[in-house]
Amino acid sequence: MLVLSRKKDESIVIGESIVLTIIDIRGDRVRIGIEAPREIPVHRREISIAIQSAEAELKNIGSGVEIGGSSPVESTWIATRSRYFVLLD
């Protein structure tokens, strides 16, 4: 893992098309701006893990995805651009 130090308004460039900019630093919170091409997905790690889990679940249940459910926690599957997300009501 490469570890870099940056101050507010400083950037890191990844490859030729991704730029990370430190927008704000407040206490232990850092706000980061990310410029990347649309075809490169950018997610927080916990969202990425949820997407991967939802995709694995979809592979397990095949093409017969039902909208809603009968469990105490209702769920709805949403397809956007070949990605699938589950929304918990």
Side-chain angles (χ1 to χ4, degrees), residues 1-6 12:
M1 174 188 297
L2 174 65
V3 178
L4 301 172
S5 297
R6 299 279 72 200
I12 297 169

Side-chain angles (χ1 to χ4, degrees), residues 53-86:
S53 295
E55 288 174 341
E57 182 73 19
L58 283 175
K59 287 179 185 175
N60 288 338
I61 60 177
S63 61
V65 177
E66 293 182 17
I67 302 299
S70 59
S71 68
V73 178
E74 296 278 325
S75 63
T76 303
W77 294 92
I78 296 177
T80 58
R81 290 190 191 178
S82 83
R83 295 286 184 190
Y84 298 90
F85 302 91
V86 63

Side-chain angles (χ1 to χ4, degrees), residues 1-87:
M1 174 188 297
L2 174 65
V3 178
L4 301 172
S5 297
R6 299 279 72 200
K7 295 179 181 176
K8 184 177 175 183
D9 297 324
E10 293 183 336
S11 299
I12 297 169
V13 177
I14 300 173
E16 296 179 9
S17 60
I18 300 173
V19 179
L20 306 175
T21 303
I22 305 304
I23 303 298
D24 193 23
I25 302 169
R26 291 184 186 171
D28 64 346
R29 308 281 292 192
V30 178
R31 294 185 66 206
I32 302 171
I34 303 168
E35 295 176 49
R38 284 181 128 347
E39 60 271 8
I40 297 177
V42 177
H43 303 288
R44 297 185 323 236
R45 180 176 285 285
E46 61 273 18
I47 299 299
S48 180
I49 290 169
I51 291 169
Q52 291 170 2
S53 295
E55 288 174 341
E57 182 73 19
L58 283 175
K59 287 179 185 175
N60 288 338
I61 60 177
S63 61
V65 177
E66 293 182 17
I67 302 299
S70 59
S71 68
V73 178
E74 296 278 325
S75 63
T76 303
W77 294 92
I78 296 177
T80 58
R81 290 190 191 178
S82 83
R83 295 286 184 190
Y84 298 90
F85 302 91
V86 63
L87 301 177

